[in-house]
Amino acid sequence: MLTELHIENFAIIDRLDLALGPGLVIFTGETGAGKSILIDAVETVLGGRADATMVRSETESASVEGVFKLDAAMRSNIHPILAREELLDNPDYLSLAREIRLNGRNVARVNGRVTSVSIMREIGELLVDIHGQSEHLSLLRIQQHQKLLDRFAELEEISTAYHATYQRLQAVRRELDALRKSERDTARQMDMLNYQIQEIELAHLNEGEEDLLREERNRLANAEELNSITQEALIALDEGSPESAAATDLLGQVISALNRLTRLDPSISELNELGQSIFDNLADISRSLRSYVDGIEFNPRRLDQVEERLALIYNLKRKYGDTIPDILKFDERARAQLDDITHASERIEGLELEENDLLSRLADEGQLLSQKRRQQSTMLKGSIEIELADLQMTNARFQVDFQQRDDPDGVLLDGGRRVTFDAHGLEKVEFLIAPNPGEGMKPLVKIASGGETSRLMLALKHVFASADQVPSLIFDEIDQGIGGRVGMIVGQKLWKLARQHQVLCITHLPQLAAFGEQHFHVEKEILDGRTITQVTQLQGEMRLDELAQMFGAITQGTLQSARELLQVVEKATAVEQS
């Protein structure tokens, strides 16, 4: 629900901060005080029209921000959108903000981050329904009619089963389409796959061999230098030169001296052992170097073979992957694809059988769904017409229209007719209304705006209260053309509706305003020669005075009428709550 509304430099509003609660929230005030501007501001922050005319004179920009508290149902609807757009912040609250600049440019923000107005509108349509001069109303979106009817009739389980069958059918058809397209290119694909598989298979690749080949190539290419350096080390170790003795001879002298020292002074025995260990290690080095030099190979032919093998691996990497494991994985995929193509005809045959089974099941589930919808639409019609009669629209008529369209590729009904289908059923569902006698049924989206339409929407909203998932509802001009008696009925219905939704209502009727659980007074003031709108929350005597003034001038009689009205409302709501 909408918990906070912050407005700055919007039309004749200088600055306004409203904290809104749940239940029925009432706005009252003289005509022209700026009540409808509040609705314009809310619509703007929901992604509605915004232009420079909304910017207060002598200022550069206007801004509106709404903060919404999200319940579990709203989180499940809105979080996927926020996650998709990387706008998810606090899971329990959502901020929508709009800045309108004098140059005509405006900026939309969701949770403080700049986004497109279309994203803001997509989110806003899930949060608030406005009925007044605007068309920000879910009931005016035909695609919502079927969902509302299904929730009203408690058909979610049947609808979910149908939708699951539909989704599986779409998946089967996508796979069939892909297989049939690939079937036309089967010969070319098979030749290509066979060539690729054979080329990789003939290479007999082994993981890790490329590194070993590079090391071998390095040894073969540098065999002469490796031999020379090794011989140099061996001469220094074992043979020596006329200028210097071999390292082993010199170290042997050191070991001999250490042995003599140890016999004379046993305290240096550890040093003697260390010297012996060094001598042994030096001997190991010498043996290893002789073994290494014996293994050095002067083999130009083998070098050519290694170079050719590395060139083959490079060529395969260029075609099939960056590493040998990648090439081998490509080979696995190619073999699997070849197997799929080889067995494509069998797969197509199996999928065609499944497609027919799914179409048959979809027909059964779709016809059951249609039957339940039509049955429940009669109950819906009666419920809504009772509500309309309560609101002095006795002659208004409501109807649910079901339209099926013939389609040779559609599902086969029991009577032998084939009809089109989509993810939601076998027909298009639309609400029709005839507000006045002599007028034919018209689509709900075509009806004119005004107080009569507001009452119609109230009747619909009241019936759909549990089915409608939009948390906040706004009604403007709902009391147009009705008297006090009907105003009490409207107020009571709004109060009942507010048990399941937050309801904001602008009214001039005290009988309606008395049902408010939060009451704001909107008025214009002139400050420093400029007109501004002020909004004050009314409680206690201030609210009593406002209700009395809505009856006429404040007198003992109107004050008494206001007290009695509040008592009647208190009793009526107490009965509803008990």
Side-chain angles (χ1 to χ4, degrees):
M1 69 173 189
L2 179 61
T3 60
E4 297 176 31
L5 183 63
H6 307 286
I7 306 173
E8 189 169 351
N9 296 329
F10 188 90
I12 59 172
I13 297 176
D14 177 21
R15 182 180 181 86
L16 180 63
D17 299 293
L18 290 181
L20 303 170
L24 179 57
V25 182
I26 295 293
F27 292 88
T28 60
E30 297 297 328
T31 301
K35 300 185 295 300
S36 293
I37 293 175
L38 293 175
I39 294 181
D40 292 340
V42 173
E43 188 172 13
T44 299
V45 87
L46 297 174
R49 182 189 66 84
D51 57 48
T53 61
M54 296 175 173
V55 180
R56 188 166 178 258
S57 61
E58 299 183 16
T59 62
E60 294 297 321
S61 65
S63 64
V64 184
E65 180 183 9
V67 178
F68 298 84
K69 185 176 182 180
L70 305 178
D71 61 16
M74 278 295 95
R75 288 195 292 271
S76 65
N77 289 334
I78 291 177
H79 280 189
I81 301 174
L82 298 177
R84 181 192 75 202
E85 302 297 331
E86 298 182 349
L87 298 170
L88 187 58
D89 193 1
N90 187 325
D92 298 322
Y93 286 89
L94 170 69
S95 168
L96 301 181
R98 194 90 173 265
E99 181 184 358
I100 309 154
R101 297 175 184 171
L102 201 58
N103 61 11
R105 184 171 178 265
N106 67 84
V107 180
R109 290 186 175 86
V110 175
N111 286 334
R113 286 165 242 173
V114 175
T115 188
S116 67
V117 175
S118 61
I119 296 300
M120 174 177 275
R121 188 180 304 114
E122 181 182 2
I123 296 169
E125 287 178 348
L126 299 173
L127 292 169
V128 181
D129 264 354
I130 300 176
H131 191 76
Q133 298 303 318
S134 73
E135 292 186 354
H136 195 285
L137 190 68
S138 61
L139 284 168
L140 299 182
R141 296 192 291 275
I142 296 174
Q143 63 269 29
Q144 292 296 317
H145 294 181
Q146 170 264 317
K147 296 178 183 177
L148 286 168
L149 175 59
D150 285 354
R151 286 199 290 268
F152 171 82
E154 298 181 351
L155 299 178
E156 285 90 345
E157 186 176 344
I158 300 174
S159 179
T160 300
Y162 171 90
H163 186 70
T165 304
Y166 174 85
Q167 291 292 92
R168 177 55 191 161
L169 175 64
Q170 297 307 108
V172 166
R173 286 185 163 178
R174 283 193 295 270
E175 187 177 352
L176 269 173
D177 186 56
L179 286 172
R180 285 166 178 157
K181 286 180 180 176
S182 65
E183 199 175 30
R184 293 192 289 269
D185 302 323
T186 296
R188 182 182 59 81
Q189 285 184 307
M190 289 183 69
D191 286 346
M192 176 62 73
L193 290 169
N194 276 316
Y195 171 80
Q196 293 170 335
I197 291 167
Q198 187 175 17
E199 185 176 29
I200 295 172
E201 184 179 5
L202 289 175
H204 299 293
L205 297 174
N206 295 302
E207 290 189 30
E209 73 165 305
E210 189 176 11
D211 291 336
L212 295 175
L213 287 168
R214 286 199 180 100
E215 291 175 4
E216 184 179 2
R217 180 181 62 181
N218 184 59
R219 290 194 299 272
L220 289 167
N222 297 284
E224 186 174 348
E225 187 174 0
L226 290 172
N227 182 73
S228 174
I229 294 171
T230 307
Q231 292 293 348
E232 182 181 339
L234 286 170
I235 289 171
L237 279 170
D238 293 336
E239 299 177 14
S241 66
E243 291 80 15
S244 63
T248 51
D249 292 341
L250 293 173
L251 188 56
Q253 296 175 17
V254 173
I255 297 301
S256 176
L258 286 173
N259 285 332
R260 293 196 304 274
L261 283 172
T262 301
R263 283 195 294 274
L264 295 173
D265 184 2
S267 66
I268 65 166
S269 59
E270 289 186 4
L271 187 61
N272 185 30
E273 291 174 2
L274 178 60
Q276 187 62 52
S277 175
I278 293 172
F279 184 83
D280 292 341
N281 288 337
L282 203 61
D284 288 341
I285 293 173
S286 178
R287 283 192 296 273
S288 296
L289 283 174
R290 292 188 184 282
S291 175
Y292 175 74
V293 77
D294 290 341
I296 295 175
E297 184 179 10
F298 296 89
N299 191 339
R301 183 178 177 185
R302 175 58 185 162
L303 178 60
D304 290 341
Q305 291 173 344
V306 170
E307 292 284 9
E308 288 175 5
R309 181 66 176 172
L310 285 170
L312 172 64
I313 293 173
Y314 172 79
N315 185 50
L316 293 174
K317 283 167 59 178
R318 183 174 56 82
K319 293 180 180 180
Y320 306 121
D322 294 333
T323 64
I324 288 178
D326 289 340
I327 296 170
L328 296 175
K329 286 177 182 177
F330 182 95
D331 179 59
E332 291 177 8
R333 291 195 300 271
R335 290 176 185 274
Q337 190 175 354
L338 182 61
D339 185 66
D340 287 343
I341 293 173
T342 304
H343 297 91
S345 59
E346 298 173 13
R347 179 61 178 161
I348 288 173
E349 185 178 346
L351 288 172
E352 287 174 341
L353 290 173
E354 185 179 1
E355 180 186 27
N356 290 331
D357 289 342
L358 288 168
L359 281 169
S360 178
R361 192 197 313 170
L362 204 65
D364 292 340
E365 292 172 346
Q367 287 179 103
L368 176 61
L369 188 56
S370 296
Q371 178 188 352
K372 296 291 186 183
R373 283 172 178 169
R374 291 172 193 271
Q375 290 172 352
Q376 292 297 317
S377 69
T378 303
M379 186 179 297
L380 176 61
K381 167 184 167 66
S383 299
I384 289 176
E385 288 181 353
I386 289 172
E387 293 288 331
L388 292 172
D390 289 345
L391 297 171
Q392 282 195 342
M393 296 179 68
T394 307
N395 296 316
R397 293 291 175 265
F398 176 85
Q399 180 179 317
V400 181
D401 183 45
F402 297 89
Q403 297 179 13
Q404 288 185 334
R405 184 165 55 86
D406 291 336
D407 184 350
D409 297 321
V411 295
L412 180 64
L413 304 185
D414 290 341
R417 181 185 174 201
R418 286 191 179 274
V419 299
T420 190
F421 62 93
D422 61 19
H424 308 295
L426 310 183
E427 65 275 304
K428 176 183 173 185
V429 176
E430 184 173 4
F431 296 158
L432 305 180
I433 192 76
N436 302 300
E439 296 181 7
M441 288 289 182
K442 297 178 182 178
L444 189 63
V445 297
K446 301 287 186 182
I447 60 175
S449 61
E452 186 179 66
T453 306
S454 292
R455 279 180 281 156
L456 169 61
M457 292 304 169
L458 174 59
L460 294 171
K461 287 289 184 181
H462 197 261
V463 172
F464 286 124
S466 59
D468 192 352
Q469 294 183 336
V470 178
S472 297
L473 312 175
I474 299 178
F475 289 91
D476 188 15
E477 298 184 348
I478 198 168
D479 53 11
Q480 183 178 340
I482 64 174
R485 186 177 66 83
V486 179
M488 285 290 293
I489 297 172
V490 171
Q492 191 164 9
K493 289 187 181 295
L494 284 172
W495 184 88
K496 288 181 183 178
L497 189 59
R499 299 313 93 203
Q500 294 173 286
H501 302 268
Q502 179 192 47
V503 179
L504 281 62
C505 180
I506 293 174
T507 183
H508 295 281
L509 280 179
Q511 292 86 352
L512 196 161
F515 281 90
E517 294 156 282
Q518 197 174 16
H519 190 155
F520 292 95
H521 176 66
V522 184
E523 62 181 340
K524 282 195 299 189
E525 291 184 0
I526 298 178
L527 186 64
D528 297 330
R530 301 190 64 191
T531 301
I532 61 171
T533 292
Q534 297 279 10
V535 179
T536 307
Q537 184 170 355
L538 303 178
Q539 294 176 326
E541 291 299 320
M542 290 177 65
R543 187 182 184 211
L544 187 67
D545 288 347
E546 175 70 4
L547 292 174
Q549 194 163 20
M550 292 174 76
F551 279 112
I554 298 180
T555 64
Q556 289 301 318
T558 56
L559 285 169
Q560 182 59 29
S561 296
R563 290 190 191 93
E564 292 174 356
L565 177 60
L566 289 173
Q567 291 171 359
V568 170
V569 168
E570 185 178 356
K571 289 180 182 178
T573 54
V575 169
E576 292 290 344
Q577 288 176 323
S578 62

